[in-house]
Amino acid sequence: MDTYMSLSAYGDGANRALTEAGQAINELDSRLSRTRPDSDIGRLNLYGSAEIDPDTAALLERSADYVRKTGGRFEITVGPLVELWGITTDEPRVPEQEEIDACLARVGSEHLRVQTGEPTAAALDPGCAVDLGAVAKGYASDKVAEIFTARGVESGAVSLGGNVYVRGSRPDGTPWSVAVQDPAGEGYACTLALTDAFAVTSGGYQRFFTAGDGTVYSHILDPDTGYPAQSDLLSATVIADCGAMADAYSTALYVMGSGEAADFWRGQSDFDMVLITADGRLLYTPALADKISPQEKSPYVYEAITP
Ligand code: AMP
Ligand code: MG
């Protein structure tokens, strides 16, 4: 998945669980990667329609649900825009407005159809492309959690490129301490004491490119404008009991910005979040009050979000 991963598990079934988790992650990558021409998503994008694994179809349908819930801030058909900007490639560039407009016409989940019957398949309108980069790692962490359950792992911690899953508590019985990185500096901005939870962070600081004029362009794109997201946020972290949802929502919240993100949370309330703003505030949902610990020398002002 083009990222650093670490997995740890404790207990009798731990070794077997870790082996199976590694296999499951590789298998998912071989199906979901946009840049592998032989993956389910690669073939769908290349040929416009493809027979796909039922599990891939299920993820596409769930993702479409997150697209609806987030009002399209999270949008899996951003493929043409991702390709156009090439932010995470060796050759990123700032496109012409006409190019962006041409891509925008091909972005939107109405361009994707999923068939869950026999055979399982998906189809795209011409020129459209799916990119699951904003949800695949979270989904992979859900699979790891399932394997931990099946193998009786009671304690473990997993990080798939910043998508964290903590199982149970630490071997000594205390909660896991999950650090939220300081998006503007070294080290972390706060830690969260968590048990049995998924915690996923999205931020422009993770992957970006700096143009000749000094403008910084993030890898998270605003599906409405076709430009890299420019909200008041430096990062958005979602804490939830589902990895795929946490991943999709953290990307969406980053696009939304703090005001819209707070409204979205008020409407959903099946997750918690930590938002770090460019003007130095760290906003958190009230249920995190007894779990969050500020970094001692943190430059951020901590504020609970009002329900
Ligand atoms: P994440 O790190 O989970 O926020 O995902 C970012 C990645 O998802 C990018 O590198 C793109 O491949 C893709 N992406 C960019 N913008 C969006 C968006 N608004 N919705 C869904 N996927 C996106
Ligand atoms: Mg994401």
Side-chain angles (χ1 to χ4, degrees):
M1 295 206 176
D2 189 25
T3 190
Y4 180 77
M5 307 202 179
S6 80
L7 298 94
S8 66
Y10 302 85
D12 289 342
N15 277 333
R16 188 156 171 201
L18 291 177
T19 306
E20 289 179 6
Q23 287 164 348
I25 292 166
N26 285 331
E27 193 270 328
L28 275 179
D29 188 50
S30 68
R31 272 197 282 123
L32 305 181
S33 167
R34 184 181 60 89
T35 52
R36 286 189 182 207
D38 59 339
S39 74
D40 282 355
I41 301 304
R43 287 183 294 108
L44 171 63
N45 289 344
L46 200 57
Y47 305 116
S49 68
E51 210 172 300
I52 56 175
D53 190 279
D55 186 71
T56 307
L59 177 58
L60 285 173
E61 292 223 301
R62 272 188 43 201
S63 298
D65 188 40
Y66 301 141
V67 170
R68 277 190 294 277
K69 286 190 169 135
T70 63
R73 301 291 192 255
F74 163 77
E75 174 53 77
I76 57 172
T77 59
V78 287
L81 283 169
V82 172
E83 189 87 6
L84 179 67
W85 285 86
I87 307 257
T88 58
T89 70
D90 294 338
E91 290 168 333
R93 69 182 180 95
V94 182
E96 301 293 332
Q97 188 62 48
E98 296 84 72
E99 297 176 284
I100 294 174
D101 291 342
C103 277
L104 280 175
R106 295 185 266 130
V107 173
S109 286
E110 67 276 14
H111 298 296
L112 169 69
R113 286 164 300 282
V114 181
Q115 177 184 312
T116 47
E118 280 286 317
T120 336
L124 282 166
D125 290 336
C128 299
V130 165
D131 181 330
L132 294 176
V135 69
K137 288 196 277 286
Y139 187 62
S141 69
D142 286 327
K143 295 283 182 190
V144 174
E146 283 171 22
I147 291 167
F148 280 9
T149 301
R151 294 292 165 222
V153 171
E154 283 168 11
S155 173
V158 172
S159 173
L160 312 180
N163 286 241
V164 171
Y165 166 61
V166 291
R167 170 72 165 205
S169 39
R170 293 196 293 191
D172 69 3
T174 59
W176 293 97
S177 177
V178 177
V180 174
Q181 198 174 331
D182 180 354
E186 301 287 306
Y188 57 91
C190 67
T191 58
L192 300 165
L194 299 176
T195 52
D196 287 314
F198 296 85
V200 181
T201 299
S202 283
Y205 70 96
Q206 291 170 334
R207 290 177 172 188
F208 57 85
F209 113 89
T210 310
D213 65 358
T215 310
V216 176
Y217 294 98
S218 87
H219 71 126
I220 300 170
L221 305 169
D222 184 336
D224 281 332
T225 64
Y227 271 78
Q230 277 181 321
S231 69
D232 64 339
L233 294 178
L234 299 181
S235 76
T237 300
V238 171
I239 299 94
D241 57 12
C242 170
M245 185 186 89
D247 197 356
Y249 283 8
S250 67
T251 304
L253 297 179
Y254 182 78
V255 176
M256 289 176 188
S258 62
E260 196 184 325
D263 283 339
F264 177 68
W265 168 74
R266 290 181 190 108
Q268 299 288 322
S269 65
D270 52 354
F271 67 94
D272 281 298
M273 64 183 183
V274 175
L275 307 175
I276 301 183
T277 68
D279 64 4
R281 289 171 301 141
L282 188 150
L283 311 169
Y284 59 92
T285 47
L288 296 176
D290 59 351
K291 301 187 172 77
I292 195 164
S293 301
Q295 214 276 83
E296 257 175 39
K297 294 185 198 113
S298 173
Y300 297 104
V301 177
Y302 292 69
E303 290 172 22
I305 297 167
T306 47

